[in-house]
Amino acid sequence: MSPRRADGIGGRAAVAGIGATEFSKDSGRSELRLAVEAVRAALDDAGLAPSDVDGMVTFTMDTSPEITVAQAAGVGELSFFSRVHYGGGAACATVQQAAMAVATGAAEVVVCYRAFNERSGRRFGSGVLSREPTAEGAALGWVLPFGLLTPAAWVAMAAQRYLYAYGLTPEVFGHVAVTDRAYAATNPAAYFHGRPLTLAEHAASRWIVEPLRLLDCCQETDGGQALVVTSAERARDLRHPPAVVTAAAQGAGRAQEQMTSFYRDGLTGLPEAGVVARRLWRSAGLGPAGIDVAILYDHFTPFVLMQLEEFGFCGRGEG
C-alpha cells in the first residue's frame, strides 16, 4: 500500500543538535545517567537548555521512560512524549515522531534519546531466557523450542535462504562487515576507532549461527545517544547549521513478526524496508539515483544487502 499523497513533514523540522556518551564495554553507571548525559550533550550542541524542551521520544526496550529522563535532565513541562515499538529498527522512527510533533505544533523542541548498558548489563545476544505471556511471545513459541533463541539465529534462517536463492556463499557477508568497519574506524568516538577489518579476519572469526560469523553480528556496547529536533526556522538561529528533515517514514510488511517472519512467501528480502522506501521516495520527491550517502542499519550483515535491494539501489540478489 502506498500513500495517496506526501506527508507534511518535509522541510518543517530539523535536527539541531546531537550528543553521545563514550561507547564502552562497561560504562560504570546507570542507564538513566547515560540517557541524561546524552540528552544534555545534545542540548549543549544545539545551544539550548533543558527548559527549552517540551517533547521526548525513545523506543521500546529502553529502561528509562521519557518522563523520568525529562525529570532527571531538568526538563520542565512536556506537551508531547512517545515511544516507538521494536528494537534497533525503530531508531529512525523516533525522528519521524519528533518531526511530526514539531510540524503539527504538538511540541517545539523534542529530544530523541537511547541509552543502554548493552554489554555490562543486558546481553541481547544471550538469547530469550524468559517471556511474558503476550501475543508477540506466542509467535516466538513457534521457533524457540527448535533452538532459535537469539537474534542471530533468527536472522540466520533468512540469510541461509538468501545465499541459496542467489547461489552465493557466506563470504559475501564479509564485504559488508569490512566496508562498514572501514568507515566506522575513522570515527574517534567509535569503539573500534583505528581498527579496520580485513576479509581474512572476517573469515577467521568463529561461527555464531551458520551462515553468520561473529563479525556478521552487531557489537553490544554500553552508551547513550540523543538528537534534538525543532522547527527548521528555529534551528537556523541555533549553534550549528541544521540538518533539515526532507522526509521520514516507518513501515511494517504483510505477515511480519519481530525478526521471525518465516511464514511469508519468501525469505530473501525485507518487505517492511520496501514499505519504508516507497513512502520515503514519494515524500522526498527523490529516488535511489539521487542519493550519494546511505547509512543503513547494520545489526547483521545479510540485512544490509537486503536493504540495498529493497531501497532500489540495486536489483534482487545484487546487493
Side-chain angles (χ1 to χ4, degrees):
M1 177 178 178
S2 297
R4 295 180 179 178
R5 59 184 176 84
D7 58 50
I9 296 176
R12 301 180 66 183
V15 177
I18 184 171
T21 69
E22 83 288 356
F23 300 108
S24 70
K25 291 187 177 182
D26 187 357
S27 71
R29 49 208 195 274
S30 70
E31 293 181 339
L32 176 59
R33 181 172 173 178
L34 291 173
V36 170
E37 288 180 15
V39 167
R40 288 178 173 170
L43 290 170
D44 182 65
D45 187 52
L48 293 170
S51 58
D52 293 312
V53 178
D54 57 356
M56 304 285 291
V57 185
T58 187
F59 48 108
T60 52
M61 301 181 191
D62 194 298
T63 61
S64 303
E66 306 92 298
I67 294 174
T68 304
V69 173
Q71 179 188 36
V75 173
E77 296 180 349
L78 293 178
S79 60
F80 174 81
F81 48 94
S82 72
R83 179 170 291 213
V84 185
H85 196 51
Y86 298 115
C92 293
T94 64
V95 177
Q96 182 193 35
Q97 295 264 318
M100 288 193 296
V102 169
T104 59
E108 294 184 3
V109 176
V110 182
V111 175
C112 308
Y113 70 92
R114 179 70 150 176
F116 261 156
N117 281 325
E118 200 183 336
R119 182 76 184 204
S120 63
R122 71 185 70 200
R123 295 293 299 275
F124 288 104
S126 64
V128 176
L129 303 178
S130 62
R131 194 75 185 179
E132 292 295 326
T134 63
E136 189 176 66
L140 285 177
W142 292 102
V143 301
L144 299 183
F146 302 99
L148 299 178
L149 302 173
T150 67
W154 302 333
V155 173
M157 296 287 282
Q160 192 73 275
R161 186 64 185 178
Y162 183 90
L163 296 178
Y164 175 82
Y166 298 117
L168 303 171
T169 62
E171 284 70 29
V172 299
F173 302 145
H175 292 276
V176 177
V178 169
T179 301
D180 280 0
R181 181 73 76 84
Y183 287 106
T186 66
N187 182 354
Y191 185 79
F192 288 110
H193 175 234
R195 290 185 282 172
L197 274 179
T198 66
L199 286 172
E201 288 172 319
H202 173 269
S205 64
R206 70 179 186 274
W207 292 111
I208 299 301
V209 183
E210 292 189 50
L212 302 182
R213 296 184 178 275
L214 175 67
L215 294 178
D216 290 309
C217 304
C218 56
Q219 166 78 3
E220 292 187 315
T221 309
D222 291 5
Q225 193 150 358
L227 300 171
V228 177
V229 178
T230 188
S231 67
E233 293 75 18
R234 184 171 187 177
R236 293 189 183 98
D237 297 327
L238 297 179
R239 184 164 289 169
H240 302 295
V244 177
V245 178
T246 300
Q250 64 181 123
R254 294 180 185 274
Q256 182 181 346
E257 297 171 357
Q258 183 177 309
M259 300 184 73
T260 58
S261 305
F262 302 143
Y263 304 101
R264 290 170 166 166
D265 292 336
L267 292 180
T268 58
L270 291 172
E272 51 274 14
V275 175
V276 171
R278 291 191 297 273
R279 295 186 66 91
L280 200 64
W281 298 141
R282 184 183 181 99
S283 295
L286 295 168
I291 305 299
D292 57 5
V293 175
I295 303 174
L296 305 176
Y297 186 30
D298 60 345
H299 52 333
F300 294 96
T301 55
F303 280 176
V304 173
L305 301 180
M306 295 181 193
Q307 287 176 82
L308 287 170
E309 296 165 12
E310 294 286 357
F311 275 84
F313 292 110
C314 58
R316 300 288 178 179
E318 296 177 357

